[in-house]
Amino acid sequence: MRFPTAEVERAVTAAGVEVLGVRVPRERAREVWEEWRGRHSETGWWPYITLSSPTGMAEGRRESGRDAGVLEQWVGEAVCQDHDARAASILVSACRWAVEEVANVDDDPDLWRSDYDPDRLAPLLAPPVERPLRGVSQWATGTRDFFEKDLRWVHLVGARGGYEVPVLLPFVYTTWNWSGYGNRGLTPLDASALLRRWHEQWGAELFFAMGPYLELVVDRPPLDPRGAAQAAAELHAYCIDTVHDPVETGDTMARSTMWSLWWD
């Protein structure tokens, strides 16, 4: 109804997941996304913004060997798993990985541990802020780098929430240089656990996904040092390529309404 001349494209992935898509002007992509997010409880379709058509996304992703049964199992696990516990284990494994990396280097492991320990990180952050910092999209509606195009695709996927998208479309976002998520081989179930935790804790919603790029709209970002430290530590564990400095992230992105991540 908003774009009566727009043609809806439909594609089905090799695993049988249906994706609908329509192209919209870049400056209106957020508006369309917000509308369909608001109607998710009625439709069951979750929207996200990207640059690829449904057909291009379905044909270009490496889903061979993942049939509908595998995806059904993954989605079932994503729904039933203790996402808080899984997020905590990701934080612990990331810390262990970092400490082991510097074990033979003249460095203090405790300095690395503080990056992953919210209780140690919180005293290093700025005092509480009264309202969320304004987050700005870099890729969904912005013109950064090679994203200087006038149109965006809004995809719709049948899902309980944006946190299921990584298991329904395992390569909707990933990295160029690694076969898994990040540089420690995290799985789509790990991604789903983090996204669901962030959704329930801070109202984070999957907004933009493509290649090594991910953006989340955050309705209730943490404003106090302890909450911001928790978010920054988890973001650091998930995407160290973007979150180099958890202190800086805890004072800025973690307290903002947009989280933009990029795997190098």
Side-chain angles (χ1 to χ4, degrees):
M1 293 174 65
R2 290 292 186 99
F3 304 97
T5 61
E7 182 178 350
V8 178
E9 183 172 315
R10 174 184 180 273
V12 179
T13 69
V17 178
E18 183 179 20
V19 182
L20 305 179
V22 63
R23 298 187 81 184
V24 301
R26 171 174 50 82
E27 63 273 12
R28 298 191 65 184
R30 173 69 180 263
E31 171 192 347
V32 175
W33 179 84
E34 290 281 13
E35 179 175 354
W36 282 98
R37 176 175 73 150
R39 298 175 63 182
H40 173 257
S41 60
E42 308 169 22
T43 67
W45 293 89
W46 183 262
Y48 71 90
I49 301 171
T50 189
L51 293 182
S52 176
S53 69
T55 300
M57 185 280 303
E59 293 179 350
R61 302 307 177 194
R62 297 165 291 175
E63 292 187 86
S64 59
R66 296 186 176 91
D67 59 18
V70 172
L71 283 193
E72 184 177 353
Q73 177 183 344
W74 278 5
V75 172
E77 288 186 45
V79 172
C80 298
Q81 69 180 343
D82 185 335
H83 44 279
D84 287 329
R86 191 160 191 148
S89 71
I90 293 169
L91 201 58
V92 170
S93 65
C95 179
R96 183 180 297 116
W97 173 82
V99 171
E100 289 174 354
E101 283 293 302
V102 299
N104 298 319
V105 180
D106 186 16
D107 205 345
D108 184 0
D110 282 340
L111 294 178
W112 288 84
R113 291 190 182 96
S114 66
D115 289 345
Y116 300 94
D117 186 340
D119 291 327
R120 295 188 185 192
L121 186 59
L124 305 177
L125 302 188
V129 296
E130 294 183 358
R131 59 183 60 88
L133 304 178
R134 180 175 178 270
V136 178
S137 170
Q138 298 185 47
W139 306 299
T141 58
T143 59
R144 182 173 174 176
D145 300 330
F146 55 87
F147 292 98
E148 296 180 7
K149 296 181 180 180
D150 292 331
L151 296 174
R152 295 289 187 267
W153 281 95
V154 177
H155 286 186
L156 298 166
V157 182
R160 293 178 180 86
Y163 56 85
E164 281 190 356
V165 173
V167 294
L168 291 169
L169 306 173
F171 293 96
V172 68
Y173 71 93
T174 182
T175 70
W176 283 326
N177 298 326
W178 306 94
S179 60
Y181 289 82
N183 49 12
R184 295 178 313 284
L186 298 182
T187 69
L189 282 168
D190 293 323
S192 178
L194 286 169
L195 292 186
R196 187 171 182 185
R197 169 174 164 72
W198 296 341
H199 163 70
E200 294 182 356
Q201 190 79 12
W202 299 299
E205 304 282 19
L206 181 69
F207 178 54
F208 178 89
M210 180 175 175
Y213 302 93
L214 173 69
E215 285 188 326
L216 305 173
V217 167
V218 188
D219 293 334
R220 306 181 307 276
L223 305 183
D224 64 292
R226 182 57 177 78
Q230 185 72 45
E234 292 178 9
L235 287 165
H236 181 59
Y238 187 45
C239 187
I240 196 173
D241 291 325
T242 299
V243 184
H244 304 294
D245 185 344
V247 174
E248 179 184 1
T249 298
D251 287 338
T252 55
M253 184 171 70
R255 304 191 199 200
S256 79
T257 56
M258 182 74 65
W259 294 355
S260 297
L261 302 176
W262 170 48
W263 287 265
D264 190 357

